[in-house]
Amino acid sequence: MKIAKKEDMPREKLARLGASDMSLVEILTILIGSGFAEHSASDLAHQLIHAIDGDLCVLARYNSFDFRKLKGIGPAKAALLVAALELGKRRQMYESSSKLVIRNSIDAYSLIKPYLADLIREEFWVFHLNRASTVVLAEKLSMGGVSGTTVDLRLLYKSALERLTSSIILAHNHPSDQMRPSKSDVDLTKQVVAAGKIFDIDVVDHLIIGSSTFYSFADDGKLN
């Protein structure tokens, strides 16, 4: 039986060197905690990385059911892994807070990506900006299935008027990673822009978010 050297043990390595010097396998090994008769926690970590083909964007979309497909990961381990992913996502949301000034679509994408990039269902959000072009509210308006969602314009502008919003950014995700807008996306955008002119609320952009890229209505000249 091979005895692992202390310096090869993930927890000890974490204590000595810090998390940034650890491999993905080692980080997942710590989160998984323990294996079972046939496979160690490190073996399970390797299997998990193989299942996602090393793509952390895929891992970010995993839920408890996905993790439990791997033999040796039960409800408790799956819950810990999901919670760890959510913690990372919320840290990203905190970083892209109201301190970020929205000057272009890249800034808007940096703000919005943590909210929408890893979802498996389509959601529609509106981000309210003040006169300094910083975000004062991130608001989810609707949640649909894998291929669409609906938006109530009355609720969208009721919220904007109550908060004296100067401008808004619309955003929704395409879980399929198909970045071109659908006809319904284009029609909805036109309706929101037209209503915004009545209330003197500028629609700065409408972003479609994928797992690692985005589409901007403003960049494509489709806000007029």
Side-chain angles (χ1 to χ4, degrees):
M1 177 179 176
K2 181 181 179 180
I3 300 176
K5 298 178 181 179
K6 185 174 182 180
E7 59 267 24
D8 294 331
M9 297 179 181
R11 291 188 183 86
E12 285 73 12
K13 184 174 181 180
L14 176 64
R16 287 187 300 109
L17 302 176
S20 62
D21 284 320
M22 300 183 69
S23 68
L24 179 58
V25 168
E26 291 168 333
I27 292 171
L28 288 173
T29 297
I30 290 177
L31 290 173
I32 292 171
S34 61
F36 62 110
E38 299 175 21
H39 297 288
S40 67
S42 179
D43 292 335
L44 293 176
H46 277 97
Q47 290 179 32
L48 180 55
I49 292 172
H50 177 74
I52 63 172
D53 198 24
D55 189 341
L56 290 180
C57 291
V58 175
L59 182 65
R61 295 186 177 190
Y62 263 40
N63 56 31
S64 181
F65 178 78
D66 294 321
F67 283 118
R68 291 175 64 183
K69 290 179 182 178
L70 191 65
K71 184 179 179 181
I73 294 184
K77 286 185 174 66
L80 182 60
L81 288 162
V82 170
L85 291 174
E86 180 63 23
L87 184 62
K89 184 185 299 184
R90 294 195 184 188
R91 187 245 180 169
Q92 286 184 305
M93 291 178 182
Y94 180 80
E95 284 185 333
S96 61
S97 63
S98 59
K99 296 178 182 179
L100 177 64
V101 177
I102 307 300
R103 295 160 296 192
N104 50 48
S105 62
I106 300 295
D107 292 338
Y109 175 62
S110 297
L111 167 76
I112 296 167
K113 181 182 178 182
Y115 292 85
L116 290 168
D118 300 325
L119 301 179
I120 60 174
R121 293 183 297 184
E122 192 166 308
E123 293 185 1
F124 191 99
W125 286 65
V126 58
F127 295 81
H128 301 255
L129 309 179
N130 59 21
R131 293 188 182 280
S133 295
T134 59
V135 176
V136 294
L137 176 68
E139 181 180 27
K140 179 167 67 175
L141 288 184
S142 65
M143 179 173 65
V146 296
S147 61
T149 184
T150 59
V151 177
D152 189 327
L153 294 184
R154 294 169 298 182
L155 293 179
L156 190 162
Y157 278 106
K158 176 179 181 294
S159 180
L161 291 169
E162 288 175 347
R163 291 167 176 80
L164 300 179
T165 297
S166 295
S167 58
I168 58 175
I169 297 174
L170 311 174
H172 74 282
N173 62 310
H174 279 182
S176 66
D177 274 345
Q178 170 55 253
M179 289 296 96
R180 299 302 300 179
S182 65
K183 184 179 183 302
S184 61
D185 293 336
V186 174
D187 291 343
L188 174 62
T189 304
K190 289 179 178 178
Q191 293 172 15
V192 176
V193 170
K197 291 178 180 177
I198 296 174
F199 299 117
D200 195 26
I201 296 175
D202 185 32
V203 180
V204 175
D205 207 341
H206 181 178
L207 266 58
I208 298 174
I209 306 296
S211 59
S212 59
T213 188
F214 72 98
Y215 169 88
S216 162
F217 276 73
D219 290 351
D220 206 21
K222 292 187 180 296
L223 283 183
N224 300 322

